[in-house]
Each structure stands twice: as C-alpha cells, then as structure tokens.
Amino acid sequence: MTTTPLLPNIVAGKAQAGQGPGTPLFDPVLGTELVRVSREGLDLASAFAFAREQGGTALRALSYRERAGLLTAIGQVLQAKRDDYYAIATANSGTVTRDSAVDIDGGIFTIGQYAKWGEKLGDARALLDGERIRLGKDPAFQSQHILTPTRGLALFINAFNFPSWGLWEKAAPALLSGVPVVVKPGTPTAWLTQRMVQDVVEAGVLPAGALSVICGSSAGLLDALQPFDVLSLTGSAGTAAQIRGHKAIAERSVRCNIEADSLNSALLDPNATADSEAFTLFVSEVVREMTVKSGQKCTAIRRAFVPRALYDAAAQAIGAKLSKVSVGNPRNEAVRMGALVSRAQFDGVREGRAQLLAEAQPLYDGRNQALVDADPAVAACAMPVLLGTSDPVGARVLHDVEVFGPVSTLMPYDNEAQAFELIRRGQGSLVASVYSADPAFTARAALELADSHGRVHAISPDVASLHTGHGNVMPQSLHGGPGRAGGGEELGGLRALGFYHRRSAVQASTAALDALAASTTPLTY
C-alpha cells in the first residue's frame, strides 16, 4: 500500500518528523491525498528554548542592516523556487495562477520591502523613539524613549487562506527586528508554508533557530510561551477568544496581536449614476473580491452598499460579470476561479449562505452553473452567489454572519448618514472601500469610517489604473482593524517593528543620552 509522505517539522534548526500517521492534506479539486503532517512527539519546550537562545541571540547580534541582508537572501531563495510553490498552491489550495500570485509573489514582495527599509536603519541594534524630553528646568537630565528587540520568540498561528503571504508579512518585520519566528500554519494548506521554511533553512541563509515551522495540531503551543514572547493569530473570532483567555496572555502577559475575519464593505457615492465611472469601478471591484481566491480573503467585500435608486442596476451589472466567471479545475486554462480549500470549507460556505438567505434573496445565483473539468461530487468548488435585501436597516444576520467564500450581499441605502451607520453595524472591519468622483464625499466617508476600520480604500476615476485593490494588503499600509476584526495592527511600514520591540524610557544625563544616540538610530515612519 502506497502512503503519502509525512512532511517534517523544522525546529531547533533541523527537520524533525512527528510521530503517528499524521493528518492528510488533500487536493481540493481532485480529492486526492497529497501529503501528511504531524507534530506529535515534538518537545515544544526545547524547540522554543532553542529558538530563543540560539536563534534570538544570533539575530540580536546583527545590526538592522545585516538583518535586512538576511531578508534579501530569503527572497532570493524563494524566488529561485517560485515554480515549485505555484505547483504546491495549485494542488493543495486549488487556486488559479493569478490567485497563487497574490499569495506567493505578495509574500516575496513584502520581504523585499522590509529588506529595503531595514537597510536604511543602518548599523544600529536599537531604535530611538521620539525626541528627548526634559524632566525639569535644567536640560542636563532628560528622558529618551528607546525600542529594543524583545528577547523572546514570535509565534504565528496562521489561517489557511494565505500560506505564503500570511507567513512572510509577519516574519519579515519580526526577523528584521531580531526576533526568531515559529509558525504554525493552517493545517489544510500547510504544505506551502512548510516547504518555504524548509527551503530557507536548508539554504543556510539564517542563523540556526531563527525560523521554525510546526505543522498539525496547535495544542500546547501557547503553554510553551514565556513572558517576553509575542503571539500573532490570524483566524476566527472564536479562536481569538480562546487565546485571550489563555494563561500565557492572562498571567504571563505575552504580547498578543489578533487579526480576525470581518464584514468588510464597499460604498458607492450617493450621487453616482449607472453610467458613471465610479459605478463601473464599484461593480468591477465587488466581482473581483467575490472571486479572487474564491472569496477566501479576510479582506473580501461581504456587504456592498449603493444608493437605493441604483440597487437594480448594480445587481444586474454585478450579475452579468459573475456569469462570465468560469469555475473549476485550476489546471484548466479556461478556469478563472478555483476551489475552496476543502470540502469542510465548502460545507461551511453552504451553511453560512443558508443563514444569509433567511434575510436576503439571490440576485445572481451561479449554483446551477457547470464546473469546468471538475466533479461536483468531489471538488470543493463553490459558485459565486450575489445576495440582496431591500431592507438592510431591518436586517440582523446580514450584518453579523460572514460567509468565507464567493458570497456578497448588495444593500441599498437612503442617505449618506444611513450608509455610514449600516457599515458600522459590521462592528469593526479590516477595510472599507469608497467609490466616488467627489473628493469632498471621499474625505467625509474616510473620517466617518476610519474609527471602525483598519483601512479605508478610496477609489476615484483619476486613480482607476493606479489603485492597489480593495482586498490587497500592501506592506506600506496598516493591516488590521478594531472590534470583531480583532483589534490588531500589522504592517504599516516600519510601524510593524513596534510589536517586536519593547519601549523603555532611559532617564539620564545629556552625556549619557549622547552616547546612547551614537549606538542607535531614530525610528521614522
């Protein structure tokens, strides 16, 4: 009997296989078993200690410039093996080439950005935070805030939807900060994360223990955390609640950053018309966000708001574009949208969609469309479905339940104030996008929505060919959001380094602070 290979974990600077049969990973289109993962039998305490004592010590001995060089070397390793990663993504994530690029090339791009920013930080090993502050009338004794790398490790518990970018958007600022990384990828798509870490470690471009991957169960991971470690989670609100109650957070004060899924929104200007460019941009972006990675993006548009007079026109325009989206086997060049990551995820989308249908009706229903080169009884392919309601004010479920797939709900609004209120009923989101040719409306919308969103993405005709997309997370801008989005912050350029550093106040003489300044560099955003 032929069995699929068991992927090794990479801990303590080397490959270590877990015990037992392991958990199988599948091709979500063909249903075939690909590989297995297991972390059973690993000594987590020893693995974490090695990362802190060996990896962390070696990284902190380097300057920011030298650590930026490590990031450049990582990028080169990954770039050389891009074809391998695309093949894994097609097989294990079921993504078409353009969707794999968002994940794989997006991760490599982010590494490159932090390498460039780190180079500019120079040869220092700590950062100055702000100006000196007088503590009295005599300036001879002052206070200076500094940022120094934490002496712990960074544990990343990641979601299944971005096995490449989800790792590197966190690991790049962590490694640049001098903090070793341990990643636990989402199990259904763990193969790509595991292979990337294994390739980088085997290339010898990082100190031993600087980068580790543990595949399979997350049980016990938080128990092994110590006070100076940091934890970053990308996942559900339920998992976030469990983590916040863990003694590592509650008793040992492990710093925690959480990015949870949210009901992101798109808003069309109340003065737009069906023949306006803002309307066209809105329609195109809603369709793109419903179909890229089969709607499995934490930033995807889940609620789309239009002036009531444009409700029917928007439904028809979005439906017309969705009808042209071919769904099925990503290996077929005719396919524009691949699969969800698993049949379990397929079942979850079906159940969530049924909940929304209690308050909405289908405006475009692709469920009867035939799959391309895929068996509907086996493949985890979900067709795009646009829902709608004429009464968003009276809705409850539509503002509370997220379907993590190619499903979005169109909602009409009667005035500007109502639109903002309806969007805020999402209780905090990662991103809202605004479509308007009116700079004044865009400015008002940005100010109204900023306090409940991590990012406001404003698209006007003059930037139609320039904007980066509602759902694309760029390393230059903040990623995260308040409320149900998790309350966390990632990226934002060099702002991301703050999570991996400890801020302290040094109160000393001017001479001592001059000496301190000579061995540090100012952190400027």
Side-chain angles (χ1 to χ4, degrees), residues 140-157:
F141 186 70
Q142 301 187 72
S143 178
Q144 171 69 65
H145 290 92
I146 63 170
L147 294 167
T148 53
T150 184
R151 290 180 179 267
L153 59 80
L155 172 63
F156 303 149
I157 300 178

Side-chain angles (χ1 to χ4, degrees), residues 11 14 55 97 122 149 257 335 395 410-411 519 521:
V11 293
K14 59 184 179 182
T97 299
N257 183 79
V335 169
L410 187 67
M411 302 183 183
S519 60
T521 190

Side-chain angles (χ1 to χ4, degrees), residues 179-261:
V179 178
V181 166
V182 178
V183 60
K184 209 300 288 184
T187 299
T189 58
W191 190 8
L192 180 55
T193 306
Q194 186 277 341
R195 174 65 67 83
M196 285 181 152
V197 172
Q198 183 172 348
D199 286 345
V200 170
V201 170
E202 288 181 348
V205 298
L206 291 176
L211 181 61
S212 306
V213 62
I214 296 175
C215 299
S217 171
S218 60
L221 287 176
L222 272 64
D223 295 333
L225 292 176
Q226 297 297 320
F228 298 129
D229 296 333
V230 299
L231 168 66
S232 182
L233 166 76
T234 299
S236 68
T239 302
Q242 294 177 5
I243 283 179
R244 287 192 172 103
H246 193 278
K247 61 183 180 181
I249 311 300
E251 298 178 13
R252 296 196 289 274
S253 300
V254 168
R255 181 178 289 174
C256 182
N257 183 79
I258 291 176
E259 186 261 287
D261 302 326

Side-chain angles (χ1 to χ4, degrees), residues 10-350:
I10 310 297
V11 293
K14 59 184 179 182
Q16 296 189 37
Q19 298 174 356
T23 301
L25 275 55
F26 295 95
D27 184 316
V29 175
L30 304 179
T32 53
E33 184 175 320
L34 301 169
V35 294
R36 292 170 296 127
V37 296
S38 173
R39 47 138 291 200
E40 297 303 319
L42 289 185
D43 185 341
L44 293 180
S46 295
F48 281 24
F50 188 94
R52 294 185 198 98
E53 296 164 10
Q54 301 295 320
T57 299
L59 287 172
R60 290 193 304 275
L62 303 175
S63 67
Y64 292 101
R65 190 195 309 275
E66 291 169 324
R67 295 194 288 261
L70 298 181
L71 296 184
T72 298
I74 291 173
Q76 292 169 345
V77 171
L78 300 180
Q79 189 69 35
K81 296 179 178 289
R82 275 178 77 249
D83 291 346
D84 293 344
Y85 303 146
Y86 271 82
I88 291 173
T90 298
N92 191 201
S93 294
T95 47
V96 296
T97 299
R98 66 164 188 169
D99 293 353
S100 298
V102 174
D103 188 24
I104 296 166
D105 294 335
I108 296 173
F109 172 77
T110 299
I111 294 169
Q113 284 296 307
Y114 276 95
K116 293 176 182 177
W117 294 329
E119 171 70 24
K120 294 179 181 180
L121 293 177
D123 297 322
R125 293 173 177 81
L127 301 168
L128 293 179
D129 180 27
E131 303 293 330
R132 297 179 191 179
I133 305 169
R134 286 192 185 189
L135 298 176
K137 293 183 179 181
D138 194 327
F141 186 70
Q142 301 187 72
S143 178
Q144 171 69 65
H145 290 92
I146 63 170
L147 294 167
T148 53
T150 184
R151 290 180 179 267
L153 59 80
L155 172 63
F156 303 149
I157 300 178
N158 283 353
F160 61 74
N161 54 338
F162 283 98
S164 168
W165 178 85
L167 163 62
W168 299 115
E169 64 100 4
K170 295 180 175 70
L175 294 171
L176 179 58
S177 297
V179 178
V181 166
V182 178
V183 60
K184 209 300 288 184
T187 299
T189 58
W191 190 8
L192 180 55
T193 306
Q194 186 277 341
R195 174 65 67 83
M196 285 181 152
V197 172
Q198 183 172 348
D199 286 345
V200 170
V201 170
E202 288 181 348
V205 298
L206 291 176
L211 181 61
S212 306
V213 62
I214 296 175
C215 299
S217 171
S218 60
L221 287 176
L222 272 64
D223 295 333
L225 292 176
Q226 297 297 320
F228 298 129
D229 296 333
V230 299
L231 168 66
S232 182
L233 166 76
T234 299
S236 68
T239 302
Q242 294 177 5
I243 283 179
R244 287 192 172 103
H246 193 278
K247 61 183 180 181
I249 311 300
E251 298 178 13
R252 296 196 289 274
S253 300
V254 168
R255 181 178 289 174
C256 182
N257 183 79
I258 291 176
E259 186 261 287
D261 302 326
S262 63
L263 290 167
N264 310 295
S265 301
L267 173 64
L268 180 62
D269 186 330
N271 293 316
T273 60
D275 59 355
S276 66
E277 191 169 356
F279 179 88
T280 301
L281 291 168
F282 171 87
V283 168
S284 295
E285 201 70 4
V286 170
V287 171
R288 177 162 69 169
E289 289 301 313
M290 287 182 66
T291 56
V292 169
K293 291 188 73 71
S294 300
Q296 297 172 113
K297 292 169 60 181
C298 53
T299 53
I301 295 171
R302 306 302 182 191
R303 300 177 301 158
F305 295 89
V306 297
R308 189 170 293 275
L310 293 180
Y311 180 67
D312 291 339
Q316 293 170 9
I318 294 170
K321 280 185 171 289
L322 289 175
S323 68
K324 299 176 182 178
V325 177
S326 53
V327 182
N329 192 332
R331 299 168 181 84
N332 190 310
E333 293 184 358
V335 169
R336 286 187 56 200
M337 189 175 95
L340 302 173
V341 300
S342 66
R343 286 296 294 191
Q345 185 66 16
F346 177 87
D347 292 340
V349 167
R350 182 171 54 191

Side-chain angles (χ1 to χ4, degrees), residues 330-375:
R331 299 168 181 84
N332 190 310
E333 293 184 358
V335 169
R336 286 187 56 200
M337 189 175 95
L340 302 173
V341 300
S342 66
R343 286 296 294 191
Q345 185 66 16
F346 177 87
D347 292 340
V349 167
R350 182 171 54 191
E351 292 166 5
R353 187 174 55 215
Q355 287 182 275
L356 299 187
L357 282 168
E359 294 183 346
Q361 61 182 5
L363 301 178
Y364 171 81
D365 193 343
R367 285 176 288 178
N368 295 324
Q369 183 178 335
L371 297 180
V372 177
D373 199 14
D375 183 352

